[in-house]
Amino acid sequence: MTLSGNRSWPNDFLVGARRGWYDLDGDGHDELIIGAGKGGKMAVFRGDGKGGFTPWEAEAWAAPATADLTTVLGWTEAGEARSLLAGLAGYEDPATAPAAVVQFNMAAGAPQRRALLPSGTAVELPCIGPLAIADIDGDGSLDFFVEDA
């Protein structure tokens, strides 16, 4: 399956979707990660290194999104497994689908989903916007930025 010129994408890939590239499985080839709008499903496609992609089915991202995914972002902590971070907007229905950042961690070989924010923090954001990872203060450690949209 190639993605160029493909006009048959379901609507849940196009409305509210965010895209990212990251070598999630550590094989040296980037995967294509496509977020979804509320009710849609995130999609991950394994890159074959030759320009082709195959769908990567996993229980961790098979459930419909409870809110719009605002960012999908690759992340590898020092000495840790690769993971994917996704922001959940939470503005449409904050009572039942609050803003959050979720992590899809590859430590067990298969993606495992867990909440990063607001779980276990004093942070309460009404809406998660863009996410970024960079060494902002130049200390050699990556800093995680979450924008309140």
Side-chain angles (χ1 to χ4, degrees):
M1 172 180 175
T2 60
L3 302 177
S4 61
N6 188 337
R7 303 259 184 229
S8 62
W9 291 96
N11 285 340
D12 60 356
F13 284 159
L14 301 176
V15 179
R18 303 298 185 253
R19 294 149 184 89
W21 297 95
Y22 181 65
D23 183 10
L24 188 57
D25 59 9
D27 69 355
H29 307 295
D30 283 349
E31 277 63 60
L32 170 62
I33 302 107
I34 303 175
K38 182 178 179 180
K41 294 181 182 177
M42 186 171 81
V44 179
F45 296 88
R46 289 184 190 259
D48 65 9
K50 300 174 191 165
F53 297 87
T54 56
W56 182 353
E57 304 296 331
E59 188 176 322
W61 47 70
T66 58
D68 289 345
L69 295 173
T70 60
T71 302
V72 289
L73 181 67
W75 167 263
T76 305
E77 287 187 75
E80 298 290 325
R82 296 168 187 267
S83 62
L84 181 66
L85 304 177
L88 294 170
Y91 68 90
E92 292 176 295
D93 191 2
T96 61
V101 175
V102 295
Q103 178 183 31
F104 300 91
N105 189 303
M106 296 298 293
Q112 302 295 314
R113 181 182 172 142
R114 73 179 183 106
L116 288 183
L117 291 175
S119 179
T121 70
V123 177
E124 192 170 315
L125 300 173
C127 184
I128 300 289
L131 307 176
I133 298 173
D135 182 8
I136 295 171
D137 54 9
D139 67 355
S141 296
L142 293 175
D143 303 296
F144 182 45
F145 172 81
V146 179
E147 181 183 339
D148 174 9

